[in-house]
Amino acid sequence: MPATGPDFLSLQVHDLAASQAFYERYLGLVRSPAGPPHAVVFDTAPIAFALRDIVEGTDIDAGPHPGIGAAIWLHATDVQEIHDGLAADGHAIVAAPIDGPFGRTFTFADPDGYRITLHDRV
C-alpha cells in the first residue's frame, strides 16, 4: 500500500516552553491534550504540528539554521497581522510579505532559527 501523504510535522527545539509560548502568542496555535511529556502537539489540521525536545545526538545548530533543505509552510488566516506582530517585537523576518500564487506570504525565523513561511490562500 503506498503512502498517502504527510501526516505529522515536528520541530526539535532548544527550549520547549519558550517555543510553545512563541507559537501560541504569535501564530495563535492551541495545544492539543494529546502528546508525550517531551513534546507539545498543537491542534492543527489537516496535519498535526508539534515541537519536541532535541533527540540525543542531534545538533540543530550544525548549520547556519535548522531545517536547511526543508520547506515548512503553515496556513494562516491573517498573515499580515502575524507579520506585523513579529516585526514589532523584533523577530527576524526572512522574506517580507508579498502577494503571490499562495496569497499573502512571508517567512520568519522562529526562536531556534527555523524558517517558517505563512500563507493565507486556501
Side-chain angles (χ1 to χ4, degrees):
M1 173 108 6
T4 59
D7 192 50
F8 188 79
L9 172 65
S10 177
L11 304 178
Q12 295 182 52
V13 298
H14 288 288
D15 184 332
L16 190 57
S19 290
Q20 175 185 352
F22 174 87
Y23 281 93
E24 288 175 343
R25 176 177 180 184
Y26 292 102
L27 274 62
L29 297 184
V30 175
R31 185 177 187 163
S32 168
H38 64 274
V40 172
V41 178
F42 293 106
D43 187 17
T44 57
I47 297 171
F49 175 70
L51 306 169
R52 62 159 293 136
D53 290 330
I54 296 174
V55 174
E56 186 176 338
T58 301
D59 182 3
I60 67 170
D61 299 317
H65 62 82
I68 292 177
I72 304 168
W73 284 54
L74 301 176
H75 177 263
T77 56
D78 196 339
V79 168
Q80 189 64 51
E81 182 179 331
I82 295 170
H83 166 272
D84 294 349
L86 288 165
D89 288 346
H91 293 285
I93 303 300
V94 177
I98 61 166
D99 293 313
F102 300 102
R104 191 79 171 152
T105 305
F106 83 99
T107 303
F108 66 91
D110 82 351
D112 286 279
Y114 287 99
R115 291 351 190 205
I116 309 293
T117 299
L118 295 183
H119 72 97
D120 65 6
R121 184 172 179 201
V122 179

